[in-house]
């Protein structure tokens, strides 16, 4: 029988669970745990410079790997600093376990130093939470936390750990639980066969079908099956922002992504479709625009592992509760050997879609002329060429995020790492850090803007300490670009607090940390600078790219309109 303190149980459990990195920041309530981590060498602790960065780094790792990220913070401000990152993971269904130190049990409720009811604070933004009541329950609770985070619809789980639960003087038997029993939690493992048959009948009879696939395909590891199914049928497919890469974007059948800044052809195809096959998508408002005008002629098949997502905002004609992978595999077996009922209608549908594509060809943006500021679109296209479309690309939130999603062509899932649901500025850099530590031989690039980067730029210090060689491409337009775009469109260009009037000299800032900085002003400087940045996979390089401050992101859906209602440029609309 092995006797361990609560703190040592935590360290041992993380080893047994196969956790390689834990991101965190120490404080009084978590010090017993930190001491236990110090006395072992299998789990590596990464000391971030702000707890929000710990959650984003763990989140980035989870999105890239599909495994739960792990965070350790102290009580009070340590825990509350992690709240934004917890909410970010929750909105995008990302598996994460956050271990929070707490004041000793007898002090809870007395407003003790650095006490916060973090279980209460995070209740709306976690999949589940636990509070440790006795040291002996730590292994079982942690096993449940990791199981809950990773199964069904993934999400963050908070474990609140009072300091006396980890005291080194109290020891209890440690056994690593290999299985989990939770009477009240039974995530579905397959869809209803009758509903799947009904869906496949509708799919084969459709005349204007479109696949609409989201982040659930990526987190559900269903990309390969989805590609097989779509190829067999020959149908068009569009993805959400979170679903980018679930189907190869370079393939002809892929219409790009849809919604507020999605492609013209994807939004037009959705609006005119007679059947929408939604898999792992939640009909977010950034996709549907006005739900009362959404896809007026379409029947809807909706596949989702979370029953609460189905018919939540748009009514499904055929609801299927189940994991994307198993439902898709069952669909593939049912489709095999059957022909689509209306091949001539599908041919006409593709002619219509190809017409929409041709309408916008060569009109997506005006390239920069000699002597003019770079267009941000040109930067992303060059980045895609230099990295051969194979990098892990993290983004912050704003115009640069949309340009990265529009102009970098992702043919693999888990490669675009971005905050979709919460839209968290500051996410990109620490997320890139978490990915690079786990995939050191891959290219990892953070596409950011000077507004977002300043929210987490202290993590340059973390990268210096641990030798994390991410690349940072800063699309510097000296403003909060997306805010300014909305002000141009809706507030007669009254730019209330959207200009950054006192930016640092990024070149000097990066060099102060001992890293390489390159400033890019013109198109002819761009590609050589990118080649230099990616020459050494293990060197952190910051590219400060001065881009056109007046450029907008298009297409852009007209608020409260249908999916087909779009602004196509500053002077055109559908």
């Amino acid at each position: 029988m092995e006797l361990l303190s609560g703190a040592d149980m935590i360290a041992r459990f993380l080893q047994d669970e196969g956790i390689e990195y834990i991101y965190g920041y120490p404080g009084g309530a978590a010090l017993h745990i930190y001491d236990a981590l110090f006395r072992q060498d299998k789990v590596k602790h990464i000391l971030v410079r702000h707890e929000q960065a710990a959650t984003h780094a763990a989140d980035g790792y989870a999105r890239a790997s599909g495994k739960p990220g792990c965070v350790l913070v102290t009580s009070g401000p340590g825990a509350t600093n992690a709240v934004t990152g917890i909410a970010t993971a929750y909105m995008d269904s990302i598996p994460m376990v956050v271990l929070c130190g707490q004041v000793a049990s007898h002090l809870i409720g007395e407003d003790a130093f650095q006490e916060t009811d973090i279980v209460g604070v995070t209740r709306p933004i976690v999949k589940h939470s636990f509070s440790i009541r006795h040291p002996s329950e730590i292994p079982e609770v942690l096993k449940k936390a990791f199981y809950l985070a990773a199964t069904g619809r993934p999400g963050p789980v908070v474990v609140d750990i009072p300091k006396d639960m980890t005291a080194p003087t109290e020891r209890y038997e440690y056994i690593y639980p290999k299985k989990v029993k939770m009477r009240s939690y039974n995530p579905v493992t397959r869809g209803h066969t009758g509903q799947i048959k009904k869906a496949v009948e509708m799919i084969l009879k459709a005349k204007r079908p479109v696949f609409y696939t989201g982040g659930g395909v990526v987190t559900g590891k269903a990309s390969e099956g989805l590609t097989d199914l779509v190829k067999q049928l020959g149908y068009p497919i569009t993805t959400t922002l979170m679903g980018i890469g679930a189907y190869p974007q370079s393939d002809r059948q892929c219409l790009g992504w849809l919604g507020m800044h999605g492609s013209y052809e994807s939004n037009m195809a959705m609006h005119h479709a007679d059947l929408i096959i939604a898999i792992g998508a939640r009909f977010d408002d950034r996709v549907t625009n006005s739900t009362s005008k959404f896809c007026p002629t379409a029947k809807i098949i909706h596949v989702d592992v979370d029953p609460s997502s189905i018919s939540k905002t748009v009514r499904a004609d055929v609801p299927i509760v189940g994991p994307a992978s198993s439902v898709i595999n069952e669909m593939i077996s049912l489709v095999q050997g059957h022909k689509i009922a209306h091949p001539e209608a599908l041919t006409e549908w593709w002619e219509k879609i190809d017409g929409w594509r041709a309408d916008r060809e060569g009109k997506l943006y005006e390239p920069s002329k000699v002597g003019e500021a770079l267009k941000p679109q040109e930067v992303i296209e060059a980045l895609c060429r230099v990295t051969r479309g194979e990098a892990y690309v993290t983004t912050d939130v704003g115009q640069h995020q949309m340009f990265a999603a529009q102009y970098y062509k992702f043919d693999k899932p888990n490669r675009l790492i971005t905050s979709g649901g919460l839209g968290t500025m500051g996410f990109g850099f620490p997320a890139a850090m978490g990915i690079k530590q786990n995939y050191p031989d891959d290219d990892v690039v953070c596409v950011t803007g000077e507004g977002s980067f300043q929210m987490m730029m202290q993590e340059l210090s973390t990268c210096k300490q641990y030798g994390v060689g991410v690349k940072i491409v800063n699309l510097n337009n000296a403003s909060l670009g997306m805010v300014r775009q909305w002000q141009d469109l809706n507030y007669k260009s009254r730019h209330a607090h959207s200009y950054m009037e006192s930016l640092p000299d990024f070149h000097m800032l990066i060099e102060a940390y001992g890293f390489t900085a390159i400033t890019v002003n013109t198109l002819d400087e761009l590609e050589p600078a990118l080649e230099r940045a990616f020459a050494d996979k293990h060197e952190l390089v910051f590219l400060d790219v001065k881009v056109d401050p007046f450029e907008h992101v298009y297409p852009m859906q007209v608020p409260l309109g249908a999916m087909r209602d779009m602004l196509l440029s500053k002077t055109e609309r559908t």
Side-chain angles (χ1 to χ4, degrees):
M1 188 196 319
E2 188 173 20
L3 299 178
L4 297 177
S5 71
D8 285 323
M9 284 186 187
I10 292 168
R12 177 65 64 81
F13 176 88
L14 295 174
Q15 292 177 17
D16 291 343
E17 191 68 12
I19 303 301
E20 188 177 358
Y21 290 102
I22 184 168
Y23 298 87
Y25 202 97
L31 283 184
H32 293 327
I33 305 171
Y34 271 89
D35 188 60
L37 288 172
F38 184 82
R39 289 183 280 104
Q40 57 83 54
D41 57 6
K42 289 183 181 172
V43 180
K44 300 176 186 73
H45 179 274
I46 304 300
L47 175 65
V48 295
R49 275 36 177 183
H50 190 288
E51 290 88 352
Q52 184 178 332
T55 53
H56 293 333
D59 183 324
Y61 161 72
R63 291 177 198 243
S65 69
K67 302 171 186 173
C70 196
V71 176
L72 173 60
V73 295
T74 193
S75 64
T80 58
N81 278 351
V83 166
T84 299
I86 294 169
T88 301
Y90 178 75
M91 288 291 281
D92 290 340
S93 304
I94 305 303
M96 181 194 297
V97 174
V98 183
L99 308 179
C100 295
Q102 181 56 280
V103 299
S105 302
H106 69 278
L107 293 174
I108 290 174
E110 293 191 7
D111 295 332
F113 177 67
Q114 291 194 330
E115 181 193 355
T116 300
D117 175 12
I118 197 62
V119 169
V121 168
T122 59
R123 187 166 280 119
I125 53 167
V126 295
K127 184 174 178 182
H128 195 66
S129 51
F130 295 94
S131 188
I132 300 295
R133 301 298 181 199
H134 193 274
S136 62
E137 70 182 26
I138 285 173
E140 186 183 356
V141 167
L142 292 185
K143 188 67 179 177
K144 286 178 179 177
F146 277 90
Y147 173 67
L148 282 165
T151 54
R153 180 179 182 172
V157 176
V158 162
V159 183
D160 190 43
I161 310 170
K163 187 170 184 178
D164 52 321
M165 298 295 111
T166 58
T169 52
E170 292 188 35
R171 300 187 176 201
Y172 299 89
E173 184 181 6
Y174 173 81
I175 299 172
Y176 174 70
K178 292 183 178 170
K179 291 184 179 176
V180 176
K181 280 188 180 179
M182 298 186 74
R183 189 178 58 186
S184 58
Y185 178 71
N186 293 296
V188 290
T189 55
R190 59 193 303 272
H192 187 280
T193 300
Q195 290 292 88
I196 295 171
K197 283 180 179 174
K198 192 173 174 184
V200 167
E201 284 173 17
M202 287 175 70
I203 289 168
L204 293 171
K205 289 177 183 174
K207 295 182 178 179
R208 300 186 308 280
V210 178
F211 277 89
Y212 152 46
T213 56
V217 175
V218 177
T219 57
K221 301 178 178 63
S223 301
E224 202 174 306
L226 174 72
T227 305
D228 288 348
L229 178 62
V230 173
K231 283 282 187 192
Q232 275 191 49
L233 291 164
Y235 288 178
I237 177 171
T238 181
T239 74
T240 65
L241 180 70
M242 300 309 301
I244 287 176
Y247 186 91
Q249 285 193 302
S250 59
D251 189 82
R252 175 184 173 268
Q253 285 171 243
C254 185
L255 310 187
W257 54 283
L258 77 172
M260 179 170 279
H261 294 293
S263 72
Y264 174 73
E265 56 267 33
S266 67
N267 284 344
M268 293 298 282
M270 285 286 286
H271 181 82
H272 292 281
D274 71 343
L275 180 66
I276 304 294
I277 306 128
I279 305 178
R282 59 186 178 89
F283 294 85
D284 178 72
D285 63 289
R286 292 285 149 139
V287 165
T288 62
N289 208 353
S290 172
T291 52
S292 63
K293 300 173 184 175
F294 177 73
C295 303
T297 58
K299 295 280 187 186
I300 292 171
I301 296 165
H302 191 182
V303 180
D304 204 291
V305 74
D306 180 5
S308 71
S309 286
I310 294 179
S311 295
K312 185 175 181 178
T313 55
V314 174
R315 193 183 73 81
D317 296 284
V318 182
I320 302 171
V321 179
S325 56
S326 71
V327 173
I328 287 169
N329 289 339
E330 207 164 329
M331 285 181 168
I332 290 170
S333 64
L334 290 170
V335 163
Q336 281 168 351
H338 291 83
K339 293 183 178 177
I340 59 172
H342 304 286
E344 70 294 334
L346 185 64
T347 301
E348 287 176 22
W349 182 223
W350 270 113
E351 286 171 1
K352 189 82 174 165
I353 290 168
D354 288 337
W356 287 323
R357 272 181 170 154
D359 286 347
R360 298 305 301 156
E361 200 167 349
K363 299 178 186 175
L364 296 176
Y365 70 92
E366 285 283 332
S368 62
K369 298 181 177 67
V370 176
E372 288 184 345
L374 276 159
K375 292 296 171 77
Q377 299 95 323
E378 294 172 319
V379 181
I380 304 301
E381 287 179 331
L383 176 66
C384 191
R385 284 194 300 274
V386 168
T387 59
R388 302 169 301 284
E390 293 176 356
Y392 288 96
V393 179
T394 73
T395 80
D396 280 291
V397 172
Q399 285 182 322
H400 65 268
Q401 176 190 31
M402 298 296 106
F403 289 132
Q406 287 176 335
Y407 292 93
Y408 196 103
K409 296 306 172 191
F410 296 91
D411 282 345
K412 297 177 184 175
N414 308 92
R415 293 295 171 128
L416 175 63
I417 311 293
T418 192
S419 170
L422 197 65
T424 306
M425 292 175 70
F427 171 82
F429 180 30
M433 195 167 70
I435 297 165
K436 184 64 177 178
Q437 284 175 310
N438 287 276
Y439 298 98
D441 296 325
D442 286 292
D443 288 326
V444 181
V445 55
C446 169
V447 176
T448 187
E450 72 293 331
S452 289
F453 182 69
Q454 289 185 92
M455 290 196 171
M456 283 283 131
M457 64 185 181
Q458 74 282 342
E459 298 310 313
L460 288 164
S461 177
T462 308
C463 290
K464 184 176 183 180
Q465 180 173 345
Y466 298 100
V468 185
V470 300
K471 316 304 176 190
I472 303 159
V473 177
N474 183 37
L475 300 186
N476 190 341
N477 59 9
S479 68
L480 301 176
M482 192 60 87
V483 174
R484 195 203 65 241
Q485 176 169 334
W486 279 77
Q487 289 170 337
D488 285 340
L489 295 170
N490 299 319
Y491 300 92
K492 298 182 179 177
S493 294
R494 293 190 296 274
H495 298 140
H497 302 285
S498 54
Y499 276 97
M500 292 277 176
E501 296 178 5
S502 56
L503 289 173
D505 182 327
F506 285 111
H507 206 101
M508 290 180 68
L509 175 75
I510 301 304
E511 288 184 341
Y513 281 97
F515 296 127
T516 300
I518 305 170
T519 301
V520 178
N521 292 294
T522 61
L523 187 59
D524 61 336
E525 295 172 351
L526 177 61
E527 207 134 331
L530 285 165
E531 295 280 5
R532 161 68 188 85
F534 286 92
D536 181 350
K537 287 189 188 296
H538 305 292
E539 178 189 17
L540 188 148
V541 182
F542 183 98
L543 266 65
D544 190 26
V545 187
K546 303 299 170 64
V547 297
D548 183 350
F550 304 109
E551 190 68 7
H552 285 182
V553 179
Y554 293 108
M556 181 178 183
Q557 284 181 337
V558 177
L560 303 179
M563 290 199 75
R564 67 178 175 182
D565 299 326
M566 289 171 275
L567 302 173
L568 301 176
S569 71
K570 290 180 181 178
T571 56
E572 301 170 87
R573 63 174 286 170
T574 51

